[in-house]
Structures are given as structure tokens and as C-alpha cells.
Amino acid sequence: MPKFDAYFLMKSADAAEFARARLGLFAPGAQLEHAEIGDGNLNYIFRVRDPASGRSVVLKQAGGTARISDQFKVSTDRTRIEYEALKIENELAPGLVPATYGYDPVMNCCAMEDLSDHVIMRAGLLQRQRYPRFSDHITTFMVNTLLLTTDLVMDHKRKKEQVGRFINPDLCEITEDLVYTEPFDDLRKRNDPFPPHRDWLERTLYQDEALRLETAKLKLGFFNNAQCLIHGDLHTGSIFVRPDSTKVIDGEFSFYGPAGYDVGNVIANLVFAWANADTVMDDAGGRAGQTRWLEETLVEVVEGFKRKWKALWRERVTESTARTPGFAEWYLDGVLADSAGVTGLELCRRTVGIAHVKDLTSIASPPHRIRAERLCIDMARRCIQERARILSGEDYLELLRWAAERHPRPA
Ligand code: SR1
Ligand code: MG
């Protein structure tokens, strides 16, 4: 039987052979360079390159369990979902996602543009880089992909078909457990709080009944609100950047869910970058410059999102009942409240849960890491509890400043 007619988990040499045999991108005799370059929690990522022609491709292959832990059994159908989401995103937000070159349902493998001239945004921010086009690009990506896949714009029957194509139970379950449940109830005993302040984290997150009630309500929205096609994991590790370019990757968590899930992830991950810079950078001038840029970016993300959403709403919404006076404002306020709630959830789960972020874990000094984590958690709790009134970029900055003042930088 030909090599790629039955599924197996590839090594990088297999990926090169697959690229040559199945993609038609390389000459038959080309001497291909190949490497496995993935460092995410779930998949295997290969870069295959022909140094003679300069052509290259990235192959993403799904295994039956997550890389981070065999505990997570995850359907390989997620690669199809990512491929189909990429095609839609390429249409709705051109230039803001990698080009796709094909999908193989047997090998559960998707071929896409090599973005080696970009860096993962989280890594770039930790090196104190700034990305002046990011807020403009990411708000266009979010508004176009989210609003244009709602019932307010799409043909309703077509939208229901699409909801079906994007049913993504295994990946949704990961989010339901890791984001909505376990940060507030370590029922599977797999949380991983930073030991020196484990007691503080557990007391603050697991024993606050009022907070847990609000997270239960938010989880219901994630279960039931098939609002639009969301990316589902839009943190700074899922975004490639250059100063002049932004490319959203890793859409395997895509499904029809609440729009605010994507917006809240972007905001929370800017807060992680801020907490790292403000806590770690010793040089006062450099620190002020980097944190100011992050604050401005956060405000531009929220305000740009609102501005572009309203403009696209006027242009593209066709649902007749949406013209009812007051409806547009009510709908956007709901998306913003969900965004604030998810900001809080993401801040909590990356701190206490199993899937951490380098913005926090790379802080070597325990008192500094504790300070960064506590400011994130305190801001998070208010984002969840007060989400209905958090409607502007300035509202987030007020909470960030409040939390930072409660937890001053260690000397
Ligand atoms: C088991 S996967 C853990 C996390 O990694 C992904 O990037 C998602 O954020 C998920 O929650
Ligand atoms: Mg990912």
C-alpha cells in the first residue's frame, strides 16, 4: 500500500516525502530540508524547504492525543476544521491568515504558507518588541470573521449547515474544562498553581462562591450560544507578527460560539504581556515605554473593535429584526460583556491551570512571579464579576492599574 494511504504520525523526513509526493510544490529531485518545529500543546508542525528554489511549506499534523498530555484524547478531525476555518478567514479577512495549500483527510494533515519571516507574538513581546499595526489588523480579523458569520448577516439555513460542519466536541471540551471549570474547582486535580502561593490562589479562586456562580453562567454561554464562527484560541501564541503584518494561525478550536471568546483572549494576553513587562523590566524608562505601548494597544483593540463592528453592522446586517431601535447597541454590549468575562477566565486559567503562558512562567524570581500572577488574578475577578459594565478600553486600564497598585513591584 502506498505510504500515505493509511494514517501514521509522521517524522520530519516523512513530512518532506509527503510534501514532495502530494503537494506538487517541489521538483521531484529537490533536496529538501525538513524539521519538526512545533512547540504547542497539541500538534506536530513540520517545515519543509527546498534551499535551491527557496520554496517552503508548513505541514500541520494532528495526533490522537495532545502533545502536552495523553490525558487529552482529541479527534484528528480538528485539522479539517482548522483548514475549513482558514478558507473562510482567508475570504473574510484576506491577508490576515496563512494561505492554504491543501488538506489530506487520511494523514490528518494541512499544508499552509511558511511564515518564518514572522515571529510568534508572545515571544516577540517578551523580547520587548512592539507591533504598531497589530491592533488595526486584529480588530479587522475579529470584526470580519465574527460579525459576518452571525445570523444577522448570513442566510439562516446556510448558517445552520455551517454550525453543523464546525461541531468540535473534543476541542470544546478542553476549553469547557480548562477555561470555564477547573480554574475555579480543581475537580480533576490537574491544576498547576505556582507552589509558593498555592494557598492564596486556591483560596482566591476555589472558595469564592459568587465568582463561581458567574463562571457557571459564562460557561452556559459557551455551551449554547452558537453566535458566530470563532477562532476559539486567539491568544498571542496563535498569532504570528512582523511590525507590518499579522497572521492568525492555529484555528483548530474553531466552532460556532460566543464572539466575546476571541476578543477576551486577545485582551487577556495583552494583560499577561503587560504584567511581565511591568514586573520584570528594571530600567524605568524602558518599562514605561513598553507598558504604555501595551496599554495603548489594549485600548485600540477594544475601541477599534467597537468602531469597526458598528461600521460593518451598518453595511452588512440584513436581518430585519436587527433594525429595531436599541437592538444594535444591546447586541454589541452583550459581546463586550462576554469579552470582559472571558478576559477574566483566560487570566485565571493560564495562571492556575495546566496550560501556562511564558509571560508568567519565565519570571525567574518567585516574589516577582507572585506579583505578576496576583495582579492578573485580581483584575480577572473583577472582569468576571463586573463584566456588564466593562465596555471601553479605559475600563480595562482602570482595573489593570487598580490591580497593579494592590500588588506593588517587589524591590
Ligand atoms: C490540552 S490543550 C491546552 C491548551 O492549549 C491550547 O492552545 C489551548 O489554549 C488549550 O486550552
Ligand atoms: Mg494552539
Side-chain angles (χ1 to χ4, degrees):
M1 183 164 49
K3 184 164 181 178
F4 301 109
D5 284 1
Y7 175 80
F8 68 98
L9 207 52
M10 293 190 287
K11 301 278 184 227
S12 74
D14 304 315
E17 215 180 315
F18 177 89
R20 197 201 316 273
R22 294 294 176 95
L23 297 177
L25 292 173
F26 301 110
Q31 295 293 308
L32 299 179
E33 294 174 351
H34 49 82
E36 204 280 314
I37 56 168
D39 68 349
N41 293 327
L42 285 170
N43 304 296
Y44 299 86
I45 316 288
F46 306 98
R47 181 187 296 130
V48 179
R49 183 170 176 271
D50 174 9
S53 68
R55 296 188 98 175
S56 59
V57 66
V58 163
L59 297 175
K60 178 166 180 176
Q61 191 187 27
T65 57
R67 266 179 105 147
I68 187 176
S69 159
D70 286 353
Q71 278 185 38
F72 297 97
K73 308 272 179 269
V74 268
S75 161
T76 46
D77 187 46
R78 67 186 185 275
T79 313
R80 174 193 65 79
I81 287 186
E82 174 165 358
Y83 178 66
E84 294 195 4
L86 271 174
K87 287 202 295 187
I88 293 170
E89 290 159 356
N90 258 309
E91 276 170 29
L92 300 181
L96 297 173
V97 285
T100 55
Y101 302 141
Y103 160 67
D104 186 306
V106 174
M107 294 302 291
N108 297 309
C109 179
C110 172
M112 64 188 92
E113 186 181 358
D114 176 16
L115 296 168
S116 300
D117 58 341
H118 291 61
V119 296
I120 286 292
M121 187 173 182
R122 191 184 309 286
L125 292 176
L126 286 172
Q127 288 167 6
R128 314 307 175 205
Q129 299 301 307
R130 299 179 197 173
Y131 300 100
R133 300 300 316 281
F134 170 72
S135 55
D136 183 30
H137 289 158
I138 202 68
T139 50
T140 297
F141 175 82
M142 292 193 294
V143 168
N144 289 12
T145 59
L146 299 175
L147 181 53
L148 298 181
T149 57
T150 63
D151 283 290
L152 308 177
V153 174
M154 284 185 80
D155 171 77
H156 301 167
K157 287 185 181 166
R158 170 89 182 124
K159 194 241 178 184
K160 287 174 179 65
E161 278 167 25
Q162 287 295 92
V163 170
R165 287 200 69 75
F166 282 93
I167 295 282
N168 197 352
D170 289 351
L171 285 281
C172 282
E173 183 180 60
I174 290 176
T175 303
E176 288 151 14
D177 291 344
L178 297 193
V179 179
Y180 287 88
T181 308
E182 294 175 25
F184 313 99
D185 180 0
D186 188 18
L187 73 178
R188 290 190 182 77
K189 300 286 173 237
R190 62 184 175 191
N191 279 350
D192 182 30
F194 187 43
H197 72 148
R198 172 191 290 269
D199 288 350
W200 185 89
L201 285 168
E202 293 184 348
R203 194 172 57 250
T204 308
L205 292 174
Y206 305 166
Q207 292 171 22
D208 184 339
E209 287 295 320
L211 182 71
R212 289 177 55 169
L213 174 59
E214 295 312 312
T215 63
K217 293 179 193 168
L218 284 162
K219 188 175 180 185
L220 200 66
F222 190 82
F223 280 143
N224 291 318
N225 187 2
Q227 190 170 27
C228 55
L229 182 64
I230 69 170
H231 176 280
D233 199 24
L234 196 50
H235 56 86
T236 47
S238 298
I239 303 172
F240 265 122
V241 277
R242 286 190 323 217
D244 61 338
S245 172
T246 305
K247 304 272 186 187
V248 172
I249 60 164
D250 259 5
E252 69 223 295
F253 282 79
S254 292
F255 80 114
Y256 274 74
Y261 194 79
D262 283 356
V263 186
N265 264 275
V266 172
I267 295 169
N269 281 275
L270 290 171
V271 172
F272 287 133
W274 189 98
N276 180 286
D278 191 65
T279 305
V280 167
M281 291 180 77
D282 285 331
D283 161 49
R287 181 171 69 242
Q290 189 68 10
T291 52
R292 193 176 323 113
W293 179 78
L294 286 163
E295 288 164 19
E296 286 164 7
T297 300
L298 194 160
V299 169
E300 284 161 16
V301 165
V302 178
E303 297 305 322
F305 178 82
K306 286 157 55 181
R307 192 174 59 249
K308 290 180 189 181
W309 178 280
K310 289 175 194 168
L312 200 61
W313 181 288
R314 285 191 292 273
E315 215 181 286
R316 298 292 301 275
V317 167
T318 47
E319 163 58 33
S320 62
T321 58
R323 287 195 286 273
T324 310
F327 182 84
E329 295 76 12
W330 171 83
Y331 193 100
L332 178 55
D333 284 355
V335 172
L336 294 170
D338 282 347
S339 304
V342 171
T343 299
L345 295 169
E346 173 75 358
L347 287 169
C348 292
R349 73 95 167 209
R350 296 290 189 183
T351 305
V352 77
I354 194 176
H356 291 290
V357 287
K358 287 212 173 82
D359 315 56
L360 299 175
T361 57
S362 68
I363 303 177
S365 141
H368 287 78
R369 178 165 167 185
I370 288 171
R371 183 266 176 167
E373 293 195 354
R374 288 189 183 184
L375 90 79
C376 289
I377 295 290
D378 276 345
M379 175 171 176
R381 294 170 71 228
R382 289 192 63 187
C383 284
I384 293 168
Q385 300 267 27
E386 300 172 32
R387 61 191 181 282
R389 62 144 205 96
I390 301 172
L391 302 171
S392 72
E394 199 48 49
D395 291 337
Y396 284 96
L397 289 194
E398 268 175 32
L399 293 180
L400 181 56
R401 291 186 189 120
W402 168 83
E405 272 171 31
R406 279 183 75 148
H407 302 287
R409 301 178 71 242

